[in-house]
Amino acid sequence: MKKTGIVRKLDDLGRITLPIELRRILHLAERDSIEISTDDDKIILQKYEPVDIFTGEKEDLIEYHGKKVSKKSIMEMAEIANIQIKQG
């Protein structure tokens, strides 16, 4: 892990501001979604990228009931269910 030397205080609502330098380095634009995770006593922030809920793949995603599923997963599930799909 690389330290930046940047220190920020939480405001009254627990928010912090990410410095513009970090936003530029990480290609974060206004209104981008940030994923928050933890590792022991560390908080990890990273740009959110939707992935297939089954495989974690990022290509050819379709939203279904608020979840992302790849076309590949849909094809595999159709095959398991013995459903014929016309490809066009």
Side-chain angles (χ1 to χ4, degrees):
M1 186 180 314
K2 182 178 172 184
K3 292 195 178 207
T4 64
I6 300 169
V7 177
R8 293 285 195 244
K9 289 189 178 194
L10 295 175
D11 72 7
D12 293 342
L13 297 176
R15 299 175 295 197
I16 60 168
T17 301
L18 296 177
I20 190 72
E21 299 86 8
L22 290 179
R23 288 182 276 156
R24 286 182 182 148
I25 290 168
L26 300 173
H27 307 289
L28 295 170
E30 205 173 290
R31 302 284 179 209
D32 276 351
S33 295
I34 303 294
E35 185 173 11
I36 303 168
S37 43
T38 60
D39 182 11
D40 294 325
D41 63 343
K42 295 173 184 65
I43 299 170
I44 302 162
L45 305 175
Q46 61 189 41
K47 188 173 184 174
Y48 173 72
E49 294 186 50
V51 295
D52 181 311
I53 61 170
F54 300 110
T55 65
E57 291 184 21
K58 297 178 181 180
E59 290 83 34
D60 292 327
L61 299 179
I62 297 170
E63 187 163 326
Y64 181 71
H65 291 283
K67 306 289 184 195
K68 300 288 184 178
V69 183
S70 69
K71 290 181 182 180
K72 182 179 175 186
S73 287
I74 293 168
M75 297 299 288
E76 289 174 4
M77 286 186 281
E79 187 177 321
I80 291 168
N82 201 22
I83 298 171
Q84 299 295 318
I85 296 181
K86 241 191 242 185
Q87 292 188 18

